[in-house]
Amino acid sequence: MRFGIIGTGNIAMRFARSMAFVENAEIDGVYGRTKEHVLSFSQKFNIPNMYDSIEALLDSGVDAVYIALPHGLHKETAIRALNKSVAVLCEKPAGLNSEETEAMIQAAKDNDTLFMEAMKTRFEPAYLELKKEIMCGVIGKVKKILLSDCFKLDPSMYGHTYHTEKGQGGCLLDCGCYCLSWAEDYAGIPERVNIKEAKMMNGVDMYVNAELVYPDCTIDVECGFDRKQPQTAVLIGTDGTVEVDMLHRPQGYLLCNKDNEKDISLPAMHDDMYGEIAHFVKLLENGKKESDVMTYAASLNIAIISDMIRIPLNNNEHCVNMLGFEKK
């Protein structure tokens, strides 16, 4: 299967390195917004073709593209590819909101072409095994989930990267979507959202702490660019608990229930992106139009939950403003 990469940033480099482990797939071409970056990228990964436009890449005969552009460019680029019947693996978050995500999904359906959001967590061996155990009742009925993914974004990046750009930036769309993926997979769309705390900088969410309320459980979601702390998932059930380190790329988990305590180690094969890529290639090989792991409904639901949190933030409800930065 011949892939094109759209974007030449850090995540695109990680994708290219991971592709080396995937059978029946190769990177045939690359497009980037900076000519020098495209040349360097193609040389680094021995990619035979470089393109100066997305259209040229899409018309080159590739079977699929991996979209690794800033969040705000996902929708337009994905739909352009799907309209040419080129399969799309789109880096998370698929769209900026549920409206964009729904438009991308509709384009995939209209063109009978595969589209998948690259939510790598759902393809990790540890995540898959834990989900199976939870569904079998290893900790009883899940009553509460605590999800936290915060890291310290270098202040020198403020105003110089899409992470802090109003509209397409913010911690919820970046690291927070991993938390929302866990929430969606275990409980779906909440009845309501309570925002406990939020810190904004020039209209961009730099820290969010929200409670998702469901009929039978609650899920706390915490994400941020302004602090470094453990990136964890804790599932609390009627008969035990599970603790997961590095919730966005879990390598195992600690299970404690009434019978015993066990530390499960299930590292990723090759790296944390291999699972999603191998799955996507298998879908292509089998002529599938939708993933059975990262479904269209899952992507849309995650976007809906994100909207439920971000709309009040954008309306400046329950927010504490931080010291702003001056964009150069």
Side-chain angles (χ1 to χ4, degrees):
M1 295 295 171
R2 297 168 56 214
F3 273 74
I5 296 183
I6 301 178
T8 57
N10 290 333
I11 194 69
M13 289 187 184
R14 294 182 58 206
F15 177 88
R17 283 194 290 268
S18 191
M19 276 284 287
F21 301 110
V22 181
E23 296 181 0
N24 193 30
E26 63 181 8
I27 304 171
D28 186 74
V30 58
Y31 161 80
R33 292 174 293 168
T34 305
K35 187 175 181 179
E36 293 77 13
H37 290 172
V38 173
L39 177 60
S40 174
F41 193 97
S42 64
Q43 291 174 340
K44 183 178 181 68
F45 297 106
N46 297 314
I47 300 173
N49 299 301
M50 297 177 289
Y51 298 95
D52 58 8
S53 73
I54 293 175
E55 210 70 17
L57 173 57
L58 296 177
D59 289 336
S60 68
V62 292
D63 299 293
V65 290
Y66 170 63
I67 298 175
L69 296 171
H71 304 156
L73 300 175
H74 288 183
K75 175 198 167 188
E76 175 192 353
T77 308
I79 290 177
R80 286 171 68 182
L82 293 166
N83 285 343
K84 288 180 175 288
S85 298
V86 176
V88 172
L89 177 61
C90 182
E91 192 49 59
K92 59 78 189 169
L96 295 178
N97 49 50
S98 57
E99 183 178 353
E100 285 199 359
T101 304
E102 191 167 20
M104 297 159 82
I105 292 168
Q106 191 59 53
K109 292 178 178 179
D110 290 344
N111 293 283
D112 197 29
T113 301
L114 175 63
F115 168 81
M116 190 181 93
E117 181 178 12
M119 191 64 71
K120 64 182 181 182
T121 308
R122 295 199 181 195
F123 301 91
E124 301 291 359
Y127 183 92
L128 293 167
E129 181 62 23
L130 173 59
K131 181 73 185 296
K132 186 165 59 177
E133 289 212 76
I134 294 295
M135 293 301 102
C136 289
V138 69
I139 60 169
K141 188 172 181 62
V142 176
K143 303 300 291 182
K144 191 171 188 66
I145 301 178
L146 308 174
L147 303 167
S148 180
D149 195 346
C150 300
F151 67 92
K152 186 82 171 178
L153 186 69
D154 188 339
S156 67
M157 296 175 65
Y158 293 3
H160 300 281
T161 170
Y162 71 88
H163 295 84
T164 57
E165 185 177 335
K166 187 174 182 180
Q168 68 171 340
C171 60
L172 192 64
L173 285 175
D174 190 74
C175 51
C177 68
Y178 289 120
C179 297
L180 300 188
S181 176
W182 277 80
E184 192 281 333
D185 203 17
Y186 277 92
I189 299 173
E191 291 185 336
R192 70 177 188 277
V193 169
N194 298 324
I195 298 176
K196 297 179 177 180
E197 183 182 356
K199 293 184 177 179
M200 308 292 288
M201 179 181 286
N202 291 6
V204 177
D205 49 290
M206 300 295 284
Y207 175 77
V208 176
N209 189 338
E211 178 187 55
L212 313 184
V213 181
Y214 298 86
D216 300 318
C217 73
T218 59
I219 300 179
D220 287 355
V221 170
E222 182 186 35
C223 56
F225 287 158
D226 66 336
R227 65 199 70 192
K228 181 175 175 56
Q229 57 191 46
Q231 297 163 293
T232 57
V234 179
L235 290 79
I236 303 168
T238 54
D239 298 322
T241 62
V242 172
E243 296 180 18
V244 183
D245 191 24
M246 299 295 284
L247 86 167
H248 59 306
R249 55 167 79 103
Q251 303 294 299
Y253 51 90
L254 178 64
L255 170 62
C256 303
N257 60 20
K258 58 184 179 182
D259 296 323
N260 57 23
E261 175 179 309
K262 56 181 180 178
D263 198 348
I264 310 297
S265 177
L266 282 171
M269 184 180 294
H270 302 300
D271 59 45
D272 60 329
M273 296 185 74
Y274 171 81
E276 69 181 8
I277 302 171
H279 174 81
F280 186 80
V281 169
K282 188 63 68 176
L283 293 174
L284 280 172
E285 290 175 338
N286 294 331
K288 301 293 185 181
K289 310 305 178 186
E290 179 181 359
S291 169
D292 57 343
V293 177
M294 193 61 201
T295 63
Y296 293 160
S299 290
L300 184 56
N301 288 346
I302 292 169
I304 290 172
I305 302 171
S306 181
D307 285 351
M308 293 175 72
I309 299 172
R310 291 181 75 228
I311 289 173
L313 295 185
N314 292 337
N315 290 335
N316 292 318
E317 298 175 22
H318 316 291
C319 296
V320 177
N321 287 322
M322 300 172 67
L323 181 65
F325 58 82
E326 182 180 355
K327 189 169 183 178
K328 303 298 183 182

